[in-house]
Amino acid sequence: MATYEYRCRDCGLFEVRLPIGTAAAACDCPECHGPASRVFSSPYLSQLSPATARARSLEEQSCEAPEVVTSVPAPRRRQRPPHPALQRLPRP
């Protein structure tokens, strides 16, 4: 179910919950039964988790100002964790 927003000239904004893709361009106001036109608004992005909101923000920034790479990054060497037996040896 999706929430669609409509605006009545007399009563103002109201919301209607309908299956996705079934909203009409106009519907009747539930209060005065007059014609109401559909309003396109932004989705409820404030309900996203902070990690998802940050990822979306970075995605939008990269569309307008992508980072430019000037050289190939150097390969990183993986450091092996020390062997557990070596931890028992005396230290100088």
Side-chain angles (χ1 to χ4, degrees), residues 5-15 29 31 37-39:
E5 198 171 29
Y6 288 89
R7 177 178 289 125
C8 174
R9 282 186 242 139
D10 300 326
C11 304
L13 292 172
F14 64 93
E15 294 179 346
C29 175
E31 293 182 24
S37 59
R38 185 171 167 194
V39 177

Side-chain angles (χ1 to χ4, degrees), residues 17 26-27 31 39 46 51 82 91:
R17 291 186 55 96
C27 75
E31 293 182 24
V39 177
S46 62
R91 301 279 175 210

Side-chain angles (χ1 to χ4, degrees), residues 12-76:
L13 292 172
F14 64 93
E15 294 179 346
V16 177
R17 291 186 55 96
L18 298 168
I20 294 176
T22 61
C27 75
D28 293 334
C29 175
E31 293 182 24
C32 68
H33 302 290
S37 59
R38 185 171 167 194
V39 177
F40 291 93
S41 58
S42 62
Y44 296 115
L45 297 179
S46 62
Q47 295 177 349
L48 295 175
S49 69
T52 305
R54 177 159 168 66
R56 289 191 53 87
S57 174
L58 290 174
E59 176 198 11
E60 290 174 6
Q61 289 175 1
S62 68
C63 290
E64 295 175 9
E67 293 182 17
V68 178
V69 179
T70 57
S71 63
V72 178
R76 294 186 196 176

